[in-house]
Amino acid sequence: MMLTVAIVGRPNVGKSTLFNRLAGRKIAIVDDIPGVTRDRKEAPGRLGDLDLKLIDTAGFEDVTDASLEARMRRQTEVAISEADVCVFVYDARTGITAVDEIFAQVLRKSGKPVVVAANKCEGKRGDEGLMEAWRLGLGDPAPISAEHGEGMADLYEGIRQAADKLEAQRLKDGGALALDAEVEAEEPFDPDAEAPPEDPTKPVRIAFVGRPNAGKSTLVNGILDDERFVTGPEAGITRDSVTVAWNWAGREIRLVDTAGLRKRAKVQEKLERLSTMETTHSIRFADVVVLVMDPTEAFERQDMQIANLCLREGRGLVCVVTKWDTVEKPSEMRKLMEEKLEDELPHARGVPLVTVSGVTRRNLDKLMDACLKVHKDWSARIKTRDLNDWLLYVTQKHPPPAPDGKRIKPRYMAQMKTRPPTFVLIASRADDMPETYKRYLINEMRQAFDLPGVPIRLVMKANKNPFADKED
């Protein structure tokens, strides 16, 4: 039985550090700058013999207006409502602040069991702040150091007691404790890791990427029909890549919202570099990447660099122009977008282009249909006989070139793997095959086997000379 635990508190008290500690991996971005976390992030964790569903939250601010901080506060309130137990983290070195006291009142009104964690208690610097916790009226504090892993036994005891009280209340009421049993875990980031092995039973993983303020989080909220992510007119609101489990037409889906990608020269701050690395990691481990673009700036150089990154990584690609409800002449704009797509991505002909609105939820069903079609093509396997019949036809229609007067002769073709479709072509003088002819073969293959927009890899190999190893 899994216990849902929300880690809450004001900004920069170490919530994400504790989240990573209990999850056993570095999932949430951690930095000394306050307010790094903005969206709820979930992962499975374990403390002793307790299986936990962890929810990392944004720092609590005492504001209720239309500001970004107020939107982040609403995300924290949702996490509290979903949790079985709340771990209230405060900075023992700073002591209890006025915001901590206000947040303690919010937690008491929620009626949820609360475990107080006095973080940064390593050494003696946090002793005075530890004593201040009793005035919150939330029980004995657990002195911990999330960064160094100290005090986890005290934290375990507090959560264990809360879990026992919940179980006793469940038995008293004769009902069932609603605990979620499945959480989508983020893969730990490793820049040198290979792509994950193929698994036909794995849910389809769809990553939404693009430049800052293109409307990615609004679009994912529209798909989920829920205000799951913090949105607003400010650029760069999303910092972590956050995965949400979802179901579409009976198919298990994992939607990944990511931070915006700017030009490398403009990425200066450490925090933004971490966000960029996480987004790149999400692209690498996605099945399908949705490139989200603003209609006023679509298909500019940065968008094409992102698209080419996705294709180089072998991911399925869907181009989306969002905020379509703001376009004045949609038919003319649609035609212009199609022309730009064809001009900018000639090496990936047939990439789907979908115009949507996350606010009005326009064409979101078409977007999901396009994603699943791309995933199906991305996983396609072609029979060897069909490949070689096709190879004979296309090489007769347009024979390979003859560098230095010696013609290249294709002999045999087979599919090596899927996701993305990868083929090997055995030919004489394979090393001399020009890139232009390879592109010809790939484009003909797209058309013949209905693989529009899917990255196709073609590996050339020379046919073995049976006399090469024989002595004269």
Side-chain angles (χ1 to χ4, degrees), residues 346-358:
H347 53 292
R349 292 179 183 173
V351 169
L353 175 64
V354 186
T355 55
V356 303
S357 170

Side-chain angles (χ1 to χ4, degrees), residues 75-149:
Q75 291 288 318
T76 299
E77 291 170 344
V78 171
I80 293 172
S81 66
E82 293 178 351
D84 300 310
V85 178
C86 296
V87 174
F88 177 32
V89 183
Y90 77 96
D91 187 341
R93 295 182 180 180
T94 304
I96 299 297
T97 66
V99 175
D100 289 325
E101 292 181 343
I102 294 172
F103 195 19
Q105 295 176 7
V106 173
L107 291 173
R108 280 196 294 270
K109 290 179 181 179
S110 72
K112 296 296 178 74
V114 178
V115 178
V116 180
N119 194 26
K120 306 181 185 179
C121 274
E122 62 271 23
K124 297 182 179 180
R125 295 177 58 186
D127 290 350
E128 185 176 346
L130 178 63
M131 299 299 107
E132 296 180 13
W134 275 280
R135 79 183 201 221
L136 295 175
L138 294 173
D140 296 343
I144 69 168
S145 172
E147 184 173 359
H148 300 287

Side-chain angles (χ1 to χ4, degrees), residues 398-412:
H398 182 56
D404 301 326
K406 298 180 180 179
R407 186 168 297 280
I408 298 172
K409 297 180 181 179
R411 304 290 189 186
Y412 178 79

